[in-house]
Amino acid sequence: MSFTQTRTTTSNHSEYVYYQGSTSLDHSANQTNGNAVGGANVALAIGYLYLSAASAYINYRSFLSFDLSNIPVCEIESATLILTRYNTSANDFDIYIVASEASDDVGTSDYQDGITGASGFPFTDDVTLYKDSAWTVGGTSQGDIRTTTLNSNALSDIKSAMGSGKFKLALLNTYDYNDTYTSLSAVSAFVIKGPMFYSTQDSTTTNHPQLRITTKHTSFKISADTSFKGGNHTIK
Amino acid sequence: MIWTTEQEYIDFAFPDDNTKTINDVIQLMVDNGIGSSDVCINILKTANPSVDWSI
């Protein structure tokens, strides 16, 4: 007989890295290192900030980490990423969820190196997707909770992290991931375009990114005449 | 045309309000989740260091 169990883990750290340049958004995406991190910012940004007359072109990437070391290794049936919107959907576009190997604290060097498999830009063919296609986040207002199911790549890496380490992912916007900033008619404004979510720096823990893992287990009936004669026995 | 004065930043952010200051622009950026006031100031100064910033 089998049964499932669901556990929800809150991100131990989530933060964005951005590169600010004066040339173009495509140029800003095509950099090895960022030049700043989110720090105490309670928001995670994935999109861009563009101020045309200031020659400011900023591309944002967000990195999330989940410590699974206290979860015993077991089979996984599904995993769901849960994020709480920080902004409205007025300026939304799709985002991608990819594997990450960012440092625990998230630094400017994680801008590219924190994306597993990325050794140059564009990295579309090099990264590991944790969702098979782009995610249209949905929701409309600040505080809206958005969920998406992760794919088998994610399940495999989650299982590897169980009992020993951290499961990390990065959020990239579609223009960054697909290297299509050059075809974008960017809108100049004092607003970060694209969906934003609460980071782990927000004072309200329930707003932090969460990972919901459904594990599957097999149970068996112990016969009435089973006896234990010494030794160590672990029953889970 | 590249902005060369603080007032151009203010006029862009608040085109119909001549009572606003550069601090209101920074507050707008903070309210939009861009970051703390220090982060927002740094973004503006990095973008255009030649402006005679009062912030």
Side-chain angles (χ1 to χ4, degrees):
Chain A
M1 190 178 103
S2 63
F3 65 95
T4 61
Q5 186 176 24
T6 299
R7 300 168 185 264
T8 300
T9 300
T10 301
S11 174
N12 62 288
H13 190 78
S14 59
E15 188 172 352
Y16 66 67
V17 182
Y18 72 73
Y19 181 88
Q20 177 177 357
S22 59
T23 306
S24 68
L25 287 168
D26 183 59
H27 176 267
S28 293
N30 188 5
Q31 299 298 319
T32 303
N33 296 316
N35 45 29
V37 295
N41 198 337
V42 301
L44 288 173
I46 303 120
Y48 68 87
L49 175 63
Y50 169 52
L51 290 167
S52 61
S55 295
Y57 301 85
I58 303 178
N59 182 58
Y60 292 86
R61 295 170 183 166
S62 283
F63 298 88
L64 288 68
S65 172
F66 298 89
D67 186 353
L68 305 183
S69 59
N70 62 347
I71 298 179
V73 179
C74 53
E75 294 302 313
I76 305 169
E77 185 170 274
S78 65
T80 301
L81 180 64
I82 305 169
L83 301 173
T84 302
R85 287 200 72 110
Y86 180 84
N87 63 351
T88 72
S89 59
N91 303 299
D92 264 16
F93 37 73
D94 289 352
I95 64 174
Y96 285 82
I97 305 170
V98 304
S100 168
E101 52 190 8
S103 56
D104 285 350
D105 294 335
V106 180
T108 54
S109 63
D110 290 314
Y111 187 67
Q112 179 178 284
D113 284 349
I115 301 168
T116 305
S119 57
F121 186 82
F123 38 68
T124 315
D125 296 330
D126 302 323
V127 301
T128 301
L129 287 170
Y130 279 163
K131 183 175 177 62
D132 291 339
S133 56
W135 181 24
T136 303
V137 174
T140 57
S141 307
Q142 185 177 45
D144 283 356
I145 295 172
R146 309 309 302 158
T147 65
T148 189
T149 302
L150 304 181
N151 66 11
S152 59
N153 295 329
L155 301 191
S156 177
D157 288 349
I158 288 170
K159 186 175 180 181
S160 296
M162 280 176 155
S164 61
K166 297 183 177 75
F167 172 69
K168 298 180 178 180
L169 57 86
L171 304 177
L172 312 172
N173 76 66
T174 184
Y175 304 108
D176 185 9
Y177 174 80
N178 288 310
D179 188 22
T180 54
Y181 265 130
T182 52
S183 62
L184 171 70
S185 297
V187 178
S188 180
F190 287 102
V191 175
I192 297 174
K193 304 294 184 179
M196 298 173 73
F197 305 101
Y198 282 98
S199 74
T200 48
Q201 282 66 259
D202 187 56
S203 59
T204 304
T205 308
T206 52
N207 285 337
H208 295 184
Q210 295 180 323
L211 183 67
R212 187 169 61 220
I213 304 169
T214 300
T215 54
K216 53 187 176 186
H217 310 266
T218 301
S219 64
F220 58 91
K221 185 178 181 181
I222 299 176
S223 166
D225 57 2
T226 298
S227 61
F228 296 93
K229 297 178 178 177
N232 297 318
H233 309 276
T234 300
I235 300 175
K236 293 183 178 177
Chain B
M1 186 182 75
I2 300 299
W3 295 327
T4 56
T5 66
E6 279 187 357
Q7 190 60 48
E8 289 171 293
Y9 285 75
I10 300 166
D11 292 343
F12 179 75
F14 304 102
D16 302 317
D17 189 342
N18 61 9
T19 68
K20 298 294 187 181
T21 68
I22 192 65
N23 286 317
D24 293 313
V25 175
I26 298 301
Q27 189 58 51
L28 173 68
M29 295 174 73
V30 171
D31 292 343
N32 285 339
I34 294 171
S36 66
S37 58
D38 286 345
V39 169
C40 295
I41 290 169
N42 187 57
I43 286 173
L44 297 184
K45 288 185 173 179
T46 298
N48 202 337
S50 62
V51 169
D52 184 19
W53 295 103
S54 65
I55 47 179

